[in-house]
Amino acid sequence: MTAAANVSFLSQRLSSRDATVGVLGLGYVGLPLAISFAEVGYQVVGFDVSDAVVATLNSGSSHIDDVTPSRVGPLVANNSFRATAVVHDLSTCDVVFICVPTPFDKAKTPDLSFVESATRSVAKVLRKGMLVVLQSTTYPGTTTEFVRPILEETGLRAGADFHLAFSPERVDPGNTRWNVRNTPKVVGGLTPTCTELAKTLLLSLMDDPTLVRTVESPDVAEMAKLLENTYRAVNIALVNELAQLCNEMGIDVWSVIDAAATKPFGFQAFYPGIGPGGHCIPVDPFYLAWKAREYDFQTRFIELAADINDQMAAYAIARMQDMLNERSISLRGASILCLGAAFKRGVSDVRNSRAIHVMELLRDRGARVTYCDPHVPHVRLGGDTLQSLSIDDVAKVNADLVAVLVGGEWPLASLESRGIAVFDAVNAGGAPGAHRHRL
Ligand SMILES: NC(=O)c1ccc[n+]([C@@H]2O[C@H](COP(=O)([O-])OP(=O)(O)OC[C@H]3O[C@@H](n4cnc5c(N)ncnc54)[C@H](O)[C@@H]3O)[C@@H](O)[C@H]2O)c1
């Protein structure tokens, strides 16, 4: 088939939903995407290196909070979705998405080993006319400088024999308002044809054709994602710094933000806390900082924001210590119940959880730590495993201090009525009371 015939063949298969879609990496990003494609009529093959993930999904169950077994089960039963750990099962795919982790190492250097391994898997099944879309968050240049050469080791040429694009994921775990179907997508391909093919496919998930924004290159799409996440990291750092100043000045930072947020233009509210956790905000800006060094460029905002955000755990503990001092209780030996363990409200994901970091710091300082998080049944703290208390236990607890580290439906009123000191790091309880202080 000629190159033009290949494009038209794939385009038709995408439009008619006869195409088979492969998704490599069936986690928080890959699974919702895979299931959404199966739900709109594509054949979907999900590939993951974890046998446990593959077995869970093929049994019709799910390991991701936002994808219920009631969505997976019928798709497995009617063969529109199946998971596999065998690379060659992807050989029937017309399109593959790469949705594998992009962490950093201890020196905050990007770890592209998962992307490399997934790309090498794709190379084993790559054929003429295939579309490859990278979705993992990464530094500008990854698609063209890192993924492309690996795929071209096959002898096939990107943009001629096969199509290549980057389209960042914007999934927000736990968010019931915004999902794969209604969140706008950005996509940049190696050539205009690559971009158009990826756009056609992504639009098939959406009702509104304006929801896919094409950009001129994968680099622009990669940088756009890093701008989004760096913007959050920097603005969170700004309010975290402001929260510390406001405390010194006796001004309520939460009232300040609410007041500023009445401005209908030019301001977006961000809120202080113990620092952003998870797989994205504390990690992604460092992908950019690392890449910038190649250009002898220092990304000062990124470093400063990370510095301020990282200090918030210690700052929160200092504030707890002040509250204990008022009651003549030392932190060493104090019993402290922490509310929340996940990296944010309503999810079970504990990657880079700042709440767990606070628990570790409290323990290091000699406090006796317990916790409650209905989404996280146990956490590892040092060499120990702690079991979550139930919400009923929380209401009855007799701790020296309760620290609200993550938002949630916590029984704060019953704690306050019993005179228990509460440090509320996330404004879960509204205006402070006699025994409850806010960050
Ligand atoms: N979680 C989020 O909210 C979010 C949002 C936007 C973007 N992202 C980005 O999406 C990417 C994936 O993140 P995630 O949260 O879905 O990760 P995850 O850890 O939830 O899932 C990744 C999956 O990939 C599998 N995997 C690892 N190596 C593989 C390989 N070589 N081949 C096939 N499968 C492999 C793992 O077993 C795991 O199931 C990351 O780059 C992340 O930064 C995540």
Side-chain angles (χ1 to χ4, degrees):
M1 228 191 278
T2 62
N6 262 330
V7 170
S8 126
F9 180 69
L10 179 58
S11 188
Q12 273 169 23
R13 282 175 72 75
L14 295 179
S15 303
S16 60
R17 301 186 187 187
D18 289 330
T20 300
V21 177
V23 177
L24 290 92
L26 299 171
Y28 286 91
V29 164
L31 186 62
L33 186 76
I35 294 303
S36 300
F37 276 123
E39 284 171 341
V40 298
Y42 293 96
Q43 279 288 319
V44 178
V45 182
F47 171 80
D48 202 289
V49 290
S50 163
D51 290 333
V53 165
V54 170
T56 301
L57 293 170
N58 283 338
S59 74
S61 192
S62 170
H63 61 298
I64 297 293
D65 299 335
D66 289 345
V67 180
T68 57
S70 62
R71 288 177 69 194
V72 180
L75 298 170
V76 171
N78 71 15
N79 287 323
S80 38
F81 169 77
R82 75 191 164 97
T84 180
V86 178
V87 173
H88 282 281
D89 288 346
L90 292 168
S91 54
T92 54
C93 293
D94 301 283
V95 181
V96 290
F97 283 85
I98 299 176
C99 308
V100 294
T102 42
F104 54 33
D105 65 14
K106 281 196 171 133
K108 298 200 170 16
T109 304
D111 173 2
L112 286 188
S113 60
F114 300 93
V115 173
E116 176 174 359
S117 134
T119 306
R120 292 203 180 282
S121 296
V122 173
K124 287 184 186 148
V125 295
L126 190 68
R127 57 186 165 77
K128 282 196 173 177
M130 208 182 217
L131 168 64
V132 180
V133 184
L134 179 64
Q135 290 233 119
S136 300
T137 307
T138 183
Y139 59 78
T142 307
T143 307
T144 51
E145 297 164 7
F146 190 85
V147 170
R148 176 182 183 170
I150 295 173
L151 296 177
E152 289 191 336
E153 283 171 19
T154 58
L156 297 174
R157 313 309 302 165
D161 300 319
F162 67 94
H163 314 288
L164 182 60
F166 180 82
S167 179
E169 184 47 65
R170 286 171 164 164
V171 71
D172 183 17
N175 191 331
T176 50
R177 167 81 180 82
W178 297 105
N179 53 49
V180 171
R181 308 287 296 268
N182 61 5
T183 306
K185 287 283 283 183
V186 168
V187 61
L190 204 62
T191 65
T193 303
C194 298
T195 307
E196 277 311 305
L197 288 169
K199 178 182 174 182
T200 303
L201 181 60
L202 292 167
L203 272 181
S204 65
L205 291 179
M206 299 164 170
D207 304 327
D208 178 351
T210 64
L211 288 181
V212 177
R213 163 65 68 95
T214 59
V215 293
E216 57 270 38
S217 68
D219 294 15
V220 172
E222 288 161 335
M223 187 65 112
K225 174 68 184 179
L226 292 186
L227 170 61
E228 291 166 22
N229 284 359
T230 303
Y231 170 83
R232 281 190 65 73
V234 167
N235 280 287
I236 291 168
L238 174 66
V239 289
N240 276 336
E241 187 174 66
L242 196 73
Q244 296 178 52
L245 174 63
C246 281
N247 186 53
E248 292 298 317
M249 297 176 73
I251 296 172
D252 186 325
V253 71
W254 304 93
S255 299
V256 171
I257 297 168
D258 283 350
T262 59
K263 186 180 179 189
F265 49 87
F267 183 83
Q268 189 188 348
F270 286 83
Y271 297 96
I274 55 174
H279 189 350
C280 298
I281 309 300
V283 177
D284 301 343
F286 284 102
Y287 268 64
L288 189 54
W290 178 85
K291 187 67 180 173
R293 288 200 281 278
E294 210 175 276
Y295 297 84
D296 285 331
F297 193 98
Q298 200 196 345
T299 49
R300 287 172 291 168
F301 262 121
I302 290 176
E303 312 283 343
L304 179 61
D307 202 27
I308 293 170
N309 288 334
D310 284 351
Q311 287 167 15
M312 290 311 288
Y315 174 73
I317 288 173
R319 294 281 305 276
M320 292 180 215
Q321 207 157 7
D322 290 346
M323 290 183 73
L324 289 169
N325 275 343
E326 282 169 20
R327 295 178 174 221
S328 302
I329 298 171
S330 73
L331 183 57
R332 176 167 297 282
S335 60
I336 300 188
L337 167 64
C338 295
L339 300 183
F343 88 86
K344 70 171 188 173
R345 180 184 183 143
V347 302
S348 60
D349 192 349
V350 295
R351 288 177 292 178
N352 298 318
S353 161
R354 301 307 288 168
I356 293 179
H357 182 53
V358 167
M359 290 184 219
E360 282 166 346
L361 293 179
L362 286 170
R363 250 210 174 182
D364 290 348
R365 287 159 176 70
R368 290 177 290 123
V369 175
T370 52
Y371 87 98
C372 170
D373 189 326
H375 298 277
V376 184
H378 46 78
V379 299
R380 295 283 298 165
L381 224 50
D384 299 331
T385 301
L386 299 191
Q387 306 292 335
S388 171
L389 301 184
S390 69
I391 292 281
D392 288 346
D393 292 335
V394 170
K396 291 179 286 193
V397 81
N398 251 328
D400 292 316
L401 184 133
V402 172
V404 189
L405 303 178
V406 180
E409 300 294 321
W410 308 117
L412 299 184
S414 85
L415 295 171
E416 276 188 281
S417 67
R418 291 191 295 117
I420 291 180
V422 176
F423 176 69
D424 185 355
V426 291
N427 192 23
H435 309 293
R436 183 164 48 80
H437 292 192
R438 282 196 292 195
L439 184 102

